[in-house]
């Protein structure tokens, strides 16, 4: 029998919740990463993941979990799950270098009978066309000598209701036997496993989920722009529409999309369609609209200042919340970055407040962090609410701030407060 039940490659927001639940189910788990700082922190009981407390990590370590840089542990692992990042390159094309690197590492250490699962979001066909040939470079054959599957991650950082265990897990195998093996594996610690007929269907399911959100967020973002010009309170209209008990799901406008999924995953689907010789117009239009929102926010800041006979150049602007969603420290793809970049280019004196971010910079330029929320909003010419962290005293912001642009629709609009 193998010494290790599960090896997780990539110890980030996807890999660590997976390791946590597997350990809780009694599996012998090891984490593998190429970053020595992550490995050292985890083995010292120091979590850098929002959904994993130091106490959670101590419990994992006490129950046999360890992190390592040593890829040789993979040869002794019954199941290997790859959870590495799949970003976009500078031309908005899929960057699979981490997937290829991790898969190559597995191939060098692949043993007969091992289950290999890719969880990293990617274009349909990646498991079969990219991962499988690399793995079969080991001399072992997928579906015969080892099992191969794809199961898209559905991690929602900071979600208090749905975690890994109670979020249904989609699983597609290279063969039916591969699918059944992967289904049985995840069934040990996930309440509902949803098998599909192949890896491509599982890959497409993930892209469909996030493209659906991407397109609907773009819809309300575009409506926010013209509703402002029409003098319509879109936030009120959305709440009214949401009273319909069927046929409508509420999406809210904002300063842009952020995180590890929405800004990235639809581009993987668009890339797939373009390989067929034509564009995926819905996705590309949504991308255009959502990427426009940071510049629209800056234009609204300019307008707000102009109405009070002030210029952006030299104005003190304090940004409230620079993470991509509330009440977490994750700032991946945060729209706060392009907003800040544009304000700095216009000459604004920028600072920020975020209880989850101690240091923040724009293209290498540090942005000063304010410690006292009340002092900061009183002193600023404009308070720009980008993220509604629960720690923020919004009543105080409404009462004391000189001018406020609320991009989240959580403040009461008035003489000094404008909503997006």
């Amino acid at each position: 029998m193998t010494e290790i039940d599960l090896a997780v490659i990539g110890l980030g927001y996807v890999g660590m919740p997976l390791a946590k639940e597997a350990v809780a189910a009694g599996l012998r788990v090891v984490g593998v990463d190429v970053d020595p700082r992550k490995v050292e922190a985890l083995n010292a009981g120091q979590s850098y993941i929002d959904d994993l407390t130091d106490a959670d990590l101590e419990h994992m370590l006490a129950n046999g979990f360890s992190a390592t840089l040593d890829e040789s542990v993979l040869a002794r692992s019954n199941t290997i799950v790859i959870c590495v990042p799949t970003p976009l390159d500078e031309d908005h094309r899929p960057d699979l270098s981490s997937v290829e690197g991790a898969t190559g590492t597995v191939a060098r250490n692949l043993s007969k009978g091992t289950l290999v699962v890719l969880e990293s979001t990617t274009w349909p066909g990646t498991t079969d066309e990219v991962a499988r040939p690399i793995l079969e470079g080991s001399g072992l054959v997928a579906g015969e000598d080892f099992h191969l599957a794809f199961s898209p991650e559905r991690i929602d950082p900071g979600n208090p209701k749905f975690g890994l265990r109670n979020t249904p897990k989609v699983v597609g195998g290279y063969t039916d036997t591969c699918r059944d093996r992967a289904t049985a594996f995840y069934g040990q610690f996930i309440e509902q496993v949803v098998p599909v007929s192949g890896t491509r269907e599982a890959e497409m399911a993930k892209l469909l989920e996030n493209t659906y959100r991407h397109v609907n967020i773009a819809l309300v973002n575009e409506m926010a722009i013209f509703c402002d010009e029409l003098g319509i309170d879109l936030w009120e209209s959305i709440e009214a529409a949401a009273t319909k008990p069927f046929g409508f799901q509420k999406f809210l406008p904002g300063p842009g999309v952020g995180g590890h999924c929405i800004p990235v995953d639809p581009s993987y689907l668009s890339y797939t369609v373009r390989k067929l010789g034509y564009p995926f117009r819905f996705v590309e239009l949504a991308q255009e609209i959502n990427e426009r929102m940071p510049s629209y926010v800056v234009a609204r800041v300019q307008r707000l200042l102009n109405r009070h006979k002030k210029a952006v150049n030299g104005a003190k602007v304090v940004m409230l919340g620079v993470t991509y969603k509330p009440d977490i420290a994750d700032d991946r793809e945060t729209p706060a970055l392009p907003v800040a970049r544009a304000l700095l280019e216009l000459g604004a004196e920028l600072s920020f407040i975020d209880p989850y971010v101690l240091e923040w910079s724009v293209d290498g330029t540090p942005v000063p962090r304010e410690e006292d929320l009340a002092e900061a909003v009183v002193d600023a010419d404009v308070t720009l609410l980008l993220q509604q962290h629960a720690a923020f005293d919004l009543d105080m912001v409404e009462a004391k701030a000189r001018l406020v642009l609320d991009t989240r629709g959580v403040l009461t609009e008035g003489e000094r407060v404008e909503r997006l």
Side-chain angles (χ1 to χ4, degrees), residues 87-264:
L88 300 175
D89 64 17
E90 292 180 357
D91 298 319
H92 275 252
R93 296 175 305 187
D95 178 1
L96 296 184
S97 56
S98 293
V99 167
E100 292 168 342
T103 308
T105 301
V106 174
R108 290 193 296 273
N109 299 277
L110 189 58
S111 301
K112 207 165 186 179
T114 302
L115 167 65
V116 181
V117 184
L118 178 63
E119 286 205 5
S120 306
T121 303
T122 186
W123 47 267
T126 300
T127 306
D128 184 30
E129 297 170 21
V130 177
R132 182 173 63 85
I134 295 174
L135 293 168
E136 290 185 341
S138 65
L140 301 177
V141 178
E144 297 179 14
D145 301 315
F146 70 94
H147 298 91
L148 178 62
F150 181 83
S151 181
E153 60 87 4
R154 281 174 160 174
I155 298 296
D156 184 19
N159 190 322
K161 184 177 181 180
F162 291 106
L164 186 78
R165 176 175 289 276
N166 66 345
T167 299
K169 196 85 168 84
V170 174
V171 173
Y174 175 62
T175 65
D176 290 349
T177 304
C178 293
R179 177 198 62 209
D180 295 344
R181 169 75 182 275
T183 298
F185 164 71
Y186 284 113
Q188 296 175 90
F189 52 90
I190 293 178
E191 294 174 5
Q192 181 185 358
V193 181
V194 182
V196 295
S197 60
T199 56
R200 285 173 171 81
E201 286 73 19
E203 290 161 336
M204 181 60 82
K206 169 66 172 179
L207 297 184
L208 176 59
E209 293 168 18
N210 287 326
T211 299
Y212 170 81
R213 292 176 61 199
H214 187 55
V215 168
N216 281 281
I217 290 169
L219 171 65
V220 292
N221 276 338
E222 187 167 37
M223 291 184 74
I225 294 170
F226 66 71
C227 279
D228 172 59
E229 296 185 26
L230 292 171
I232 296 170
D233 187 339
L234 176 63
W235 302 93
E236 184 178 349
S237 297
I238 290 171
E239 293 303 324
T243 62
K244 185 179 181 182
F246 54 89
F248 182 83
Q249 183 176 356
K250 182 169 76 172
F251 289 85
L252 298 173
V257 292
H260 63 301
C261 288
I262 304 302
V264 175

